[in-house]
Amino acid sequence: MKNNLDIFNIKEWLLTNGLGGYSYMSLPLINTSCYQSLMCVALHTPVDRYSVLENVNEEVIIDNNTYLLNEHIVSVDVEDIVTYTFQIKNISIKKEIAYAYDQNTLAISYHITNPGKKLQLFVSPELALRSHHEGNRHKPECMVTSYKDTINIIPLKHKELCISMSLEDSTFIQKETCKSYHYDFGELTGGTVSDKVVIPGTFHISNMESRSYSFICSLDLENSALNANTIIFNEKRRINSLYLGNDRLLKQLYKASDQFIVKRGDSHSIIAGYPWFNDWGRDTLISLEGLTLCTGRFHDAKDILLTFVHHLKDGLCVNMFTDQEPPLYNTVDGSLWLIHACYQYLLYTNDFTFIQSIYPALKTIISHYVTGTKHNIHMSDDFLLFAGSGEDQITWMDVRIHGKAVTPRHGKPVEVNALWYNALKIMNVFAGFTDNDPSYDIIAIKVKENFVKVFFDEQLGYLKDTDTDPTLRPNQLYAFSLPFPVANISIARRAFPIITEKLYVGRGLRSLTPDDPQYIGTYLGPLESRDYAYHQGTSWGYLIGPYIRTFLKLNHSREEALKLLDPLLQSINEQLIGGINEIYDGDAPHTGKGCVNQAWSVAEVLCLYQSLNKMQ
């Protein structure tokens, strides 16, 4: 089944369950990507995602005529839950969808307004039973048992799972069929193009009355008997409690922020982006202020910090938690962002006791960076940080193709050294109420003395990207925007207009200037083509954070800053309703690409929008 839809302009919606699972579909309920799934769960919370329910095929029979529900959509409401209204003749059917929080349970309520006509409903579940990253080459095999209005499904490749599915007051007609999917997104991006799902049979309600009917799909057998209306009510109440103010835009941002905060063991973490990213260290720690501190979720913030403190290794922060393998530690800036996030937590909470408890772990970061650790990370003779060797990809510009780093940035990256100075100054603050260690400030003074000498190019008027690379990139913004800026304001005044002219596009900042020979302005095509473009011109939404913070330090007004933020605010409902994309094309019209909802994009926009409103 081929869709022939403009996949970058079709609106989508997303529900999450706080465990890494999600429900993610297009508004017309047509699957255009292997990632779209009515119910996807995380087999090892919050990672190793497994698509359970691709979709449900819904038909009604009225006066002996058969109608497909998704061909009769009259409205879609994406708020705390997702609500579809279908109209066939004078019969109205409302379908409410919710994903139970902290459970692997999807709930759908069908509410019928039936003025006297006999109406039959047929619901056929389409089972994917696969990793959400790739389609099935063959029909997925499963064992199905049914009793009255409930079926239990055991996937033969995951026999430890038992999926319970029920439709209230129905009869299940067991008849297995197979359906093939063609994914337009995969065709455009070199990803999964084809897929096969299995339909074990059909739930049938022979004579619907004017009331609600509960459909449940659950991996939590103790919850499978719950009524959909109860789950929907609880989820509405939970989401409404996230933000109690009157600003509709801020409410959307609070709801979006909630989707990224997930359980990891007995603690919490942050999913970097939906639908395909796991929890990444750098993304989590950059996002922490916007997603948890700005929203008053201080306990979650503390949990998240502890998650990454407990996983420190050789002074390095986790770069990414993988699906099943040990965590990856290929990052130079993750540990520095961890120190920064701890400082932000202290500013919001005054929780000195917590900082004192983790201070010894933070000290190991500095000592390893001074003496040297993996990936050739060490403090040079000029007190600046050096990092990288071979084909390491340890900054946020981390693409590697055929084993070769696209933007290796070995040496002394500008934002890494801005973060290094910031971390030293923060550790000096922490030392003030712990062990009074004077070494942090001594090193910080030396770093500041040498930073401008190494990075500022008088002729160019901006900071080089590394000590040996004069390329104009947005990374230099962190030298001005962090709480402890390493470069003085006079340099910011010279660099900022150049950054604005060459890199700012409204929807974030380009990763490379268009007049660079390596610039790629459109993020499209097979994975290799997209990877080359990823950090070579593609615009990143989250970079609006350091950009506007620098802008404000140059004494510009709140109103001017809001105008710079407005293009990203306007994009919130453009692709994913209530979400902000990971990236945008560097070329106009700067179409949203990458993940449809990205943690640090949402976090930085929320943080800026809320702080700018408080400036009134």
Side-chain angles (χ1 to χ4, degrees), residues 316 329 331-333 368-379 385-388 394:
L316 298 178
Y329 287 87
T331 170
V332 58
D333 54 331
H368 275 94
Y369 276 45
V370 168
T371 59
T373 188
K374 294 178 178 177
H375 305 296
N376 202 19
I377 298 168
H378 65 275
M379 188 175 74
L385 273 189
F386 186 101
I394 54 176

Side-chain angles (χ1 to χ4, degrees), residues 62-271:
I62 306 169
D63 295 335
N64 296 319
N65 294 313
T66 302
Y67 304 89
L68 286 172
L69 275 193
N70 69 349
E71 293 179 355
H72 296 272
I73 300 169
V74 293
S75 68
V76 188
D77 183 28
V78 182
E79 288 289 342
D80 307 328
I81 60 168
V82 178
T83 304
Y84 282 84
T85 302
F86 310 94
Q87 188 77 33
I88 304 171
K89 295 185 176 180
N90 60 343
I91 294 176
S92 177
I93 302 173
K94 185 169 72 172
K95 173 184 177 180
E96 295 180 312
I97 308 169
Y99 207 152
Y101 189 71
D102 203 23
Q103 296 176 28
N104 288 311
T105 302
L106 182 81
I108 299 176
S109 176
Y110 296 97
H111 184 80
I112 311 300
T113 303
N114 179 6
K117 287 187 178 289
K118 183 177 180 180
L119 185 147
Q120 299 181 63
L121 175 66
F122 297 84
V123 176
S124 302
E126 300 176 358
L127 302 173
L129 308 180
R130 57 167 173 80
S131 162
H132 76 152
H133 289 303
E134 53 193 27
N136 291 313
R137 292 186 178 182
H138 307 287
K139 180 188 73 174
E141 300 294 334
C142 59
M143 184 179 75
V144 179
T145 58
S146 63
Y147 179 71
K148 293 184 177 179
D149 61 1
T150 300
I151 62 173
N152 290 306
I153 303 150
I154 297 176
L156 296 190
K157 289 187 177 179
H158 272 287
K159 293 175 184 169
E160 76 281 7
L161 301 179
C162 183
I163 303 158
S164 179
M165 200 178 298
S166 64
L167 176 59
E168 186 180 7
D169 290 346
S170 71
T171 300
F172 186 74
I173 305 165
Q174 192 162 341
K175 183 183 177 182
E176 184 178 292
T177 57
C178 181
K179 179 178 177 179
S180 296
Y181 271 97
H182 179 96
Y183 298 127
D184 293 346
F185 182 84
E187 192 167 62
L188 280 174
T189 61
T192 296
V193 175
S194 60
D195 190 15
K196 292 185 184 299
V197 298
V198 63
I199 302 170
T202 301
F203 293 99
H204 176 221
I205 301 176
S206 60
N207 192 6
M208 301 192 80
E209 301 173 2
S210 293
R211 64 179 183 86
S212 295
Y213 293 82
S214 168
F215 175 88
I216 295 288
C217 182
S218 181
L219 268 68
D220 303 324
L221 295 182
E222 66 273 17
N223 297 317
S224 60
L226 286 176
N227 185 276
N229 289 327
T230 302
I231 292 171
I232 289 166
F233 175 81
N234 290 340
E235 190 61 4
K236 282 182 175 180
R237 183 173 59 182
R238 186 189 73 82
I239 293 177
N240 267 312
S241 71
L242 297 175
Y243 174 73
L244 302 176
N246 297 319
D247 188 322
R248 182 171 174 80
L249 185 54
L250 201 54
K251 183 177 182 179
Q252 272 193 308
L253 290 168
Y254 269 60
K255 288 195 302 184
S257 70
D258 175 69
Q259 295 184 333
F260 301 103
I261 301 169
V262 292
K263 281 192 174 180
R264 172 167 280 283
D266 295 328
S267 193
H268 285 83
S269 188
I270 288 174
I271 291 293

Side-chain angles (χ1 to χ4, degrees), residues 564-582:
L564 293 175
L565 184 61
D566 190 62
L568 274 173
L569 292 173
Q570 294 299 321
S571 78
I572 285 177
N573 293 318
E574 190 169 272
Q575 186 171 358
L576 182 81
I577 296 176
I580 303 179
N581 282 77
E582 172 195 11

